[in-house]
Amino acid sequence: PFLVDFYNLRAERIKTLPSYDDLNFLVTSSNSKVVLKIFHEEFSNDEERVSEQAQLQQFWFESGITVPKIIKTTDGLLQKKLKTKMASGKDGECFVRLLEFMEGEILQKLPIVEGFFIEIGKAIAKCHVLMESKESAERFPFTSNLQVTKKFLNSIFFCYF
C-alpha cells in the first residue's frame, strides 16, 4: 500500500531487478514502468547523504546528464522513509525512491565495440564539467569528497547508459 500512499501508484506487476547494495524493482502499472529503489538500512541511517544524493541526481537530470528522473512523492519529496522489517528481522526504516524507467542494459553487460570507451569518456567529461561549474560548487560542496562522488557514480551513472 505504500506505493499508493507515497506515489498514488497502483502496481499491476512487480519484478526484482539486479542491484548492488539496495533493492530495486521494476513496477508496471496500467500506464507506466518505474523503478522502485529501497535503500539498505545502513545507507538509510545517513539521512544527509541520502538527501544529497537525491539532490545531485535531480540536478544532473535537470542539466541533461543521462540519469533516471526521480518521481516525486505525492507530497513533493524526492524520497521518503518506509517503516518495514529489516533483513535482521528488526523493525526499521529505509528510504525509498521512485525512478523513471530507462530502457537499456547495465554497462557491464554491454559488448565492447569500437568507440565504447570514447562514449564513456565523453559522458564522464560531461559530468566533470558540470560538477566544476560555480552553480554545482555552491549547491553541492560535499562533492569535493571523492568517495561520495565515486560511490554515487558507481550506483547511479554507470548503471544506465
Side-chain angles (χ1 to χ4, degrees):
F2 77 89
L3 284 173
V4 174
D5 294 343
F6 289 7
Y7 298 101
N8 198 26
L9 176 68
R10 298 192 191 295
E12 292 180 355
R13 195 175 96 176
I14 299 175
K15 176 185 170 194
T16 303
L17 295 173
S19 63
Y20 181 70
D21 280 334
D22 309 308
L23 297 174
N24 294 305
F25 302 93
L26 178 61
V27 179
T28 306
S29 70
S30 60
N31 61 351
S32 68
K33 282 184 181 180
V34 294
V35 174
L36 171 64
K37 183 172 198 64
I38 303 175
F39 291 91
H40 64 80
E41 183 179 13
E42 182 181 330
F43 191 68
S44 290
N45 288 334
D46 190 345
E47 291 193 35
E48 182 179 11
R49 183 173 170 201
V50 176
S51 177
E52 289 171 344
Q53 187 199 58
Q55 291 171 36
L56 183 59
Q57 183 173 349
Q58 185 73 8
F59 174 65
W60 279 10
F61 176 81
E62 292 168 357
S63 300
I65 303 295
T66 305
V67 295
K69 178 183 177 183
I70 298 174
I71 299 169
K72 293 183 180 179
T73 63
T74 54
D75 49 355
L77 301 173
L78 295 176
Q79 60 203 3
K80 207 160 184 166
K81 271 201 165 179
L82 171 68
K83 292 181 181 182
T84 187
K85 284 265 188 224
M86 300 291 133
S88 65
K90 298 178 183 176
D91 290 332
E93 293 182 320
C94 290
F95 275 103
V96 296
R97 193 180 297 163
L98 201 62
L99 307 167
E100 197 171 71
F101 176 72
M102 295 178 68
E103 196 69 48
E105 291 290 333
I106 60 173
L107 188 62
Q108 294 86 342
K109 290 187 176 183
L110 294 176
I112 297 177
V113 296
E114 187 174 338
F116 181 79
F117 294 109
I118 292 170
E119 291 304 313
I120 293 170
K122 286 179 185 177
I124 293 170
K126 189 174 179 181
C127 289
H128 176 75
V129 168
L130 179 63
M131 296 314 292
E132 291 289 313
S133 72
K134 182 179 179 189
E135 178 186 6
S136 176
E138 290 170 357
R139 284 179 66 182
F140 306 106
F142 64 87
T143 57
S144 62
N145 178 336
L146 182 59
Q147 290 303 322
V148 170
T149 305
K150 181 181 175 189
K151 178 120 177 115
F152 182 78
L153 285 169
N154 284 334
S155 65
I156 300 296
F157 184 70
F158 289 116
C159 294
Y160 302 93
F161 225 97

